[in-house]
Amino acid sequence: SQLEAEEEDFPALEAGDSGKNRGDVPSAPKVAWDRMVTTAAQMLGDTESKPTRTDPEQFRQAMVVIHPQHGLGKITALSGEGAKRTATVRFVTGEEARFRLAFSELRPAPKPG
């Protein structure tokens, strides 16, 4: 019968036998998961886009900003100019962090309403 043929293809393991050292137990195929996942950017054909940076000179003291990892915050201090312009931000979590604005993912928060 077909069931008996399938049983012969996959012999039963004895107690305590993992089957790792048996040549007659097939191993599971390796799966390339990174090839199976499609990102939204790939679906839209935009696989090379980089987030646009906000001009460091656009940031102001007390400006409400948003960061992808830290969330909403308010600029409490600014210093420097151009690529060296730095902001200190206190986030709603109470955390405080400094950012080199030319290289950060910090953005002005959208105005409510």
Side-chain angles (χ1 to χ4, degrees):
S1 84
Q2 183 179 358
L3 181 59
E4 289 171 353
E6 289 175 4
E7 287 176 355
E8 288 175 14
D9 290 339
F10 300 98
L13 299 176
E14 294 178 22
D17 183 2
S18 68
K20 286 184 179 180
N21 297 321
R22 295 177 59 179
D24 57 353
V25 177
S27 61
K30 295 193 184 244
V31 177
W33 293 105
D34 60 331
R35 294 183 194 168
M36 294 177 66
V37 176
T38 303
T39 66
Q42 290 169 326
M43 292 171 78
L44 293 171
D46 187 13
T47 59
E48 298 299 320
S49 70
K50 294 180 182 174
T52 57
R53 304 273 184 223
T54 302
D55 177 8
E57 301 303 322
Q58 298 299 312
F59 292 94
R60 300 285 178 245
Q61 181 80 19
M63 176 184 268
V64 177
V65 292
I66 191 163
H67 188 274
Q69 284 80 39
H70 301 287
L72 283 174
K74 185 182 275 191
I75 296 177
T76 59
L78 286 167
S79 63
E81 294 178 1
K84 293 186 176 183
R85 189 164 172 90
T86 303
T88 302
V89 179
R90 177 165 301 276
F91 293 95
V92 294
T93 60
E95 177 185 13
E96 190 170 271
R98 293 184 60 171
F99 297 93
R100 186 68 66 89
L101 294 170
F103 307 103
S104 80
E105 297 180 79
L106 204 62
R107 304 279 174 268
K111 304 240 186 238

